[in-house]
Amino acid sequence: MAPTDELEYLKSLVAQLNDKISALEKKAKGAAAPKAPTPAQQLRTILMGPPGAGKGTQAPRIRDEYCVCHLATGDMLREQIQQGTPLGKEAKKIMDAGGLVNDDIMIGIIKDQLENNKECKNGFVLDGFPRTIPQAEKLDAMLTARKEKLDSVVQLLIDDQLLISRITGRLIHPGSGRTYHKEFSPPKKPMTDDVTGEPLIQRSDDNVETLTKRLKTFHSQTGPVVEYYRRRGLWTGIDAAQSPNLVWDNLSKVFRANKSS
């Protein structure tokens, strides 16, 4: 082979190798860079359950595991009131007068979060909403306008008597919010916080009479909402009397099944 021919041949090999290297680098870069979740990978779910069923344990775990926002309507309402937002001021007037915050205010708070809370870009877990059929219908309309839809509605199921037993034994450290239970998770020293040594309290509404009323209200409100989502094939019930880890395993199965369907 003449020197010039050999030189051209080697140049062509180098060019081919450079092209191959560039292609491999692009492929490696693409694999390493995290892709933004597609709508199919996102999670939009509602977590239902009576007071003490474990929503406060499971919802933050869903939030952290799936990188979504946790919208607890009670907390959001208090935050809006504390910040003195227009929605918060309107809600405070109604609550001070002894009324119930109307659907438009609640859906307005959620709409505000979905539009402005960066944590909501991958989806959400709703906790405490919707409580009525009109609220569910307004949520549907809002999500449709956003070209989004619910993936699932999960209800934590637990017998009322077991729930009352759980809650009436609950003890709280006011300064930190740490919780104990007289029977299931007692402090090392009775009525004393393990960390600070300060006294523990029992919430005034953690009594049988108050809880019975709250549970009656919950069941009467949520029964129609459960049926609404059951008809649409979105509802799943999970036994909340199990350990928190078993409840989490069952929740994860629901979310995985939804994404694979």
Side-chain angles (χ1 to χ4, degrees):
M1 182 182 291
T4 53
D5 292 338
E6 187 174 1
L7 183 60
E8 289 302 317
Y9 173 69
L10 289 173
K11 281 182 179 179
S12 98
L13 279 181
V14 170
Q16 289 176 38
L17 284 170
N18 284 334
D19 289 343
K20 184 71 173 174
I21 290 168
S22 295
L24 289 171
E25 284 178 341
K26 285 179 183 177
K27 189 175 180 181
K29 188 177 180 181
K35 294 181 180 179
T38 66
Q41 294 171 316
Q42 295 171 350
L43 178 71
R44 298 180 185 89
T45 190
I46 294 170
L47 189 61
M48 301 175 66
K55 297 193 304 298
T57 298
Q58 301 299 339
R61 192 166 179 180
I62 297 171
R63 175 198 66 203
D64 296 342
E65 185 74 18
Y66 291 89
C67 300
V68 298
C69 59
H70 171 207
L71 303 183
T73 49
D75 293 343
M76 289 191 298
L77 197 56
R78 284 187 287 272
E79 185 179 339
Q80 294 274 340
I81 291 171
Q82 286 172 359
Q83 292 178 354
T85 66
L87 282 171
K89 289 175 181 176
E90 191 176 347
K92 189 174 188 304
K93 284 180 188 175
I94 295 170
M95 293 168 71
D96 288 347
L100 293 173
V101 176
N102 63 47
D103 295 347
D104 288 337
I105 290 178
M106 295 310 303
I107 201 73
I109 290 174
I110 289 171
K111 186 173 185 288
D112 175 69
Q113 287 290 311
L114 293 182
E115 289 176 354
N116 300 308
N117 186 341
K118 291 180 181 178
E119 292 180 358
C120 297
K121 66 179 180 178
N122 295 338
F124 56 78
V125 50
L126 278 178
D127 171 1
F129 185 92
R131 291 182 183 274
T132 64
I133 296 289
Q135 288 181 356
E137 290 173 341
K138 291 192 176 191
L139 176 63
D140 283 343
M142 183 187 69
L143 291 177
T144 299
R146 293 171 56 85
K147 297 186 167 99
E148 297 173 353
K149 64 183 181 66
L150 279 174
D151 299 314
S152 56
V153 177
V154 184
Q155 183 176 8
L156 301 181
L157 304 169
I158 186 167
D159 180 77
D160 282 2
Q161 290 306 311
L162 176 57
L163 202 55
I164 289 171
S165 170
R166 274 187 180 184
I167 296 178
T168 53
R170 186 164 58 183
L171 301 171
I172 299 171
H173 175 240
S176 66
R178 273 187 293 277
T179 59
Y180 301 84
H181 193 279
K182 292 177 182 177
E183 182 181 350
F184 306 124
S185 179
K188 294 173 183 175
K189 184 179 176 183
M191 296 302 294
T192 305
D193 179 50
D194 290 348
V195 178
T196 65
E198 295 170 346
L200 300 175
I201 64 165
Q202 187 165 24
R203 277 176 40 175
S204 59
D205 57 350
D206 283 355
N207 61 75
V208 174
E209 184 180 357
T210 302
L211 284 168
T212 302
K213 288 179 181 176
R214 288 170 67 192
L215 289 170
K216 186 177 179 180
T217 301
F218 171 81
H219 293 311
S220 65
Q221 282 185 337
T222 57
V225 178
V226 166
E227 191 56 34
Y228 176 82
Y229 287 120
R230 196 199 297 265
R231 285 197 302 268
R232 294 174 54 193
L234 291 171
W235 179 89
T236 303
I238 289 178
D239 180 6
Q242 306 174 94
S243 72
N245 283 338
L246 282 175
V247 173
W248 172 253
D249 289 343
N250 286 316
L251 279 168
S252 301
K253 287 176 185 174
V254 172
F255 301 148
R256 285 198 301 270
N258 182 271
K259 293 307 174 189
S260 62
S261 60

